[in-house]
C-alpha cells in the first residue's frame, strides 16, 4: 500500500519511521515545503529499513501521491506568542485549504488521517474542505490518550497494557473523558480485578492516573519541546489496521452527527477501523458523570469549530 505523509517534521517523520519498524505499507511519500528537510528525513529513515522492513521512503511532490490509499496530514503552524487558540486554528485551516485539494487531485480515493493539532477541530475542518464522507477523514484523536490510560492502569495492576480495555473519549485535550466505569482488565470489571490482585484503585490512584493521562503532553513538551514518538507509533498502527482490513477498535475522531445532544462535532469514540475507513461507531457504557463530561467536551469542541472563519 502506498502512503502519503504531508509534513516532514517530527510527527510526520516519526510516523514514517514507525511504519518501517512495523512493516506498514510498501511505499511512503513525504511531502513538505522544505525539500532539503524532506530529503534528509527520507534518507535517514531509509537507512533504518535494512534493520526492519523493505519499505521505500522517499521525498515527493503532491503529484507523487498518485494512487496513495492513505494520506496522513501532519502539516500545520506553531502557535505564536500571544496568539489565541482560535487564531491558530484559522491559520491551520488556511494550511489545510491549500493542502487538501492538492492531495485529493493526486489521490482522490485516499483515506485522510489527520494528526495536526488541535486534532478534533482540524478533523472537522478537513472533512468540510475535502467533501469526503466522515468515515474517510479520521483524526488520531484520543488514540494516544487511550494508550496512556491503559499503560498507567497496567502498571498499577501489574499486567500488560494489552490486557487492559478502557478508553479515553471526547477531546484530545483538557476536556477528555477517561471512562473508568466501563474499563476492564481481561473480561473482569476494573475494581473487581484490582481487588483480586490486591491493588485497589482508590480515589488517590484514580487522580494520579487521570493526571498522568491528561497532562502527559504538557510534561513532555516542557522537557523536550514536543511530542512525537507516541503519536507516530499510533498513526502507523492505525494505518496498518486500514491496510490489513483488521476491523480493529481504536478511539479516533471523526465528524459525528450527534454526541450527547451536541450536533455536528468531531471527537473521539471507540470505532471499528478497516480498509474503507470507519466501519462502525461504538458507545461504551458511561456513568452519569461521564455522560455529562462527554457532553461538556463536545460543547467545547463545537464552540471552537464555530468560532473559526475560513
Amino acid at each position: 500500500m502506498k502512503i502519503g505523509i504531508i509534513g516532514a517534521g517530527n510527527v510526520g517523520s516519526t510516523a514514517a519511521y514507525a511504519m518501517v519498524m512495523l512493516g506498514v505499507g510498501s511505499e511512503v511519500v513525504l511531502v513538505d515545503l522544505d525539500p532539503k528537510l524532506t530529503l534528509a528525513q527520507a534518507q535517514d529513515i531509509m537507512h533504518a529499513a535494512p534493520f526492519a522492513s523493505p519499505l521505500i521512503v522517499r521525498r515527493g511532490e503532491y503529484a507523487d501521491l498518485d494512487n496513495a490509499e492513505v494520506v496522513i496530514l501532519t502539516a500545520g503552524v506553531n502557535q505564536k506568542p500571544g496568539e489565541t487558540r482560535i487564531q491558530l486554528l484559522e491559520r491551520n485551516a488556511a494550511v489545510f485549504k491549500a493542502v487538501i485539494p492538492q492531495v485529493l487531485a493526486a489521490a482522490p480515493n485516499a483515506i485522510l488521517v489527520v494528526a495536526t493539532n488541535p486534532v478534533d477541530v482540524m478533523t472537522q475542518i478537513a472533512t468540510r474542505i475535502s467533501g469526503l464522507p466522515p468515515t474517510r477523514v479520521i483524526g488520531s484523536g484520543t488514540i494516544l490518550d487511550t494508550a496512556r490510560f491503559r499503560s498507567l492502569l497496567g502498571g498499577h495492576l501489574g499486567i500488560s497494557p494489552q490486557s487492559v480495555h478502557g478508553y479515553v473519549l471526547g477531546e484530545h485535550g483538557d476536556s477528555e473523558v477517561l471512562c473508568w466505569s466501563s474499563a476492564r482488565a481481561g473480561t473482569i470489571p476494573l475494581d473487581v480485578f484490582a481487588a483480586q490482585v490486591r491493588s485497589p484503585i482508590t480515589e488517590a490512584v484514580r487522580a494520579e492516573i487521570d493526571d498522568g493521562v491528561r497532562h502527559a503532553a504538557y510534561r513532555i513538551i516542557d522537557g523536550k519541546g514536543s511530542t512525537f514518538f507516541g503519536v507516530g507509533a499510533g498513526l502507523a498502527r492505525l494505518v496498518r489496521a486500514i491496510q490489513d482490513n483488521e476491523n480493529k477498535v481504536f478511539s479516533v475522531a471523526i465528524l459525528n452527527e450527534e454526541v450527547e445532544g451536541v450536533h455536528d462535532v468531531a471527537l473521539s469514540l471507540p470505532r471499528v477501523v478497516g480498509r474503507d475507513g470507519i466501519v462502525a461507531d461504538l458507545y461504551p457504557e458511561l456513568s452519569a458523570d461521564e455522560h455529562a463530561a462527554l457532553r461538556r467536551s463536545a460543547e467545547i469542541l463545537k464552540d471552537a469549530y464555530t468560532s473559526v472563519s475560513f
Side-chain angles (χ1 to χ4, degrees), residues 35-305:
K36 187 176 180 180
L37 169 67
T38 314
L39 179 60
Q41 297 281 38
Q43 289 182 340
D44 195 16
I45 296 167
M46 277 298 295
H47 295 161
F51 303 107
S53 60
L55 190 68
I56 297 171
V57 181
R58 64 185 179 93
R59 183 190 74 82
E61 306 296 335
Y62 285 99
D64 297 310
L65 299 174
D66 60 304
N67 298 318
E69 296 183 56
V70 176
V71 176
I72 301 174
L73 304 175
T74 73
V77 295
N78 295 322
Q79 194 162 8
K80 297 177 179 178
E83 184 176 41
T84 67
R85 185 169 182 258
I86 299 305
Q87 289 171 328
L88 173 64
L89 275 168
E90 289 177 346
R91 290 203 296 135
N92 274 334
V95 171
F96 273 25
K97 282 182 71 175
V99 164
I100 290 174
Q102 296 183 80
V103 168
L104 294 180
N109 298 316
I111 293 171
L112 301 183
V113 176
V114 180
T116 301
N117 277 320
V119 68
D120 307 288
V121 182
M122 293 308 299
T123 298
Q124 186 160 359
I125 288 171
T127 305
R128 175 176 167 183
I129 292 171
S130 69
L132 293 173
T135 55
R136 298 184 67 83
V137 184
I138 307 170
S140 57
T142 59
I143 191 171
L144 179 54
D145 308 276
T146 290
R148 290 167 175 159
F149 186 34
R150 293 177 178 181
S151 178
L152 290 171
L153 275 173
H156 174 74
L157 297 172
I159 61 174
S160 165
Q162 283 81 2
S163 295
V164 178
H165 307 285
Y167 295 97
V168 178
L169 311 182
E171 178 190 14
H172 171 54
D174 292 344
S175 72
E176 63 191 21
V177 182
L178 280 65
C179 294
W180 290 95
S181 63
S182 58
R184 298 286 187 273
T187 61
I188 303 172
L190 197 60
D191 289 338
V192 175
F193 186 97
Q196 290 179 2
V197 298
R198 295 181 174 83
S199 295
I201 298 177
T202 63
E203 287 303 315
V205 170
R206 287 190 182 224
E208 183 179 359
I209 291 176
D210 184 283
D211 178 71
V213 174
R214 198 178 303 275
H215 300 125
Y218 294 111
R219 296 188 180 98
I220 294 169
I221 290 169
D222 181 60
K224 68 173 194 173
S226 62
T227 67
F228 42 88
F229 289 126
V231 70
L235 290 167
R237 186 64 188 87
L238 182 60
V239 174
R240 188 169 81 180
I242 296 170
Q243 170 189 272
D244 296 344
N245 196 28
E246 291 183 10
N247 287 345
K248 185 173 176 63
V249 178
F250 296 96
S251 57
V252 290
I254 67 168
L255 176 59
N256 306 272
E257 290 186 6
E258 181 269 331
V259 175
E260 296 290 337
V262 180
H263 294 269
D264 298 320
V265 62
L267 52 69
S268 286
L269 292 172
R271 307 182 197 275
V272 181
V273 179
R275 188 74 178 187
D276 294 323
I278 301 300
V279 177
D281 296 331
L282 307 174
Y283 214 103
E285 295 178 358
L286 302 177
S287 67
D289 287 345
E290 290 165 351
H291 277 292
L294 184 57
R295 178 180 175 85
R296 178 57 182 152
S297 188
E299 290 171 341
I300 289 170
L301 290 169
K302 181 64 180 287
D303 288 346
Y305 175 76

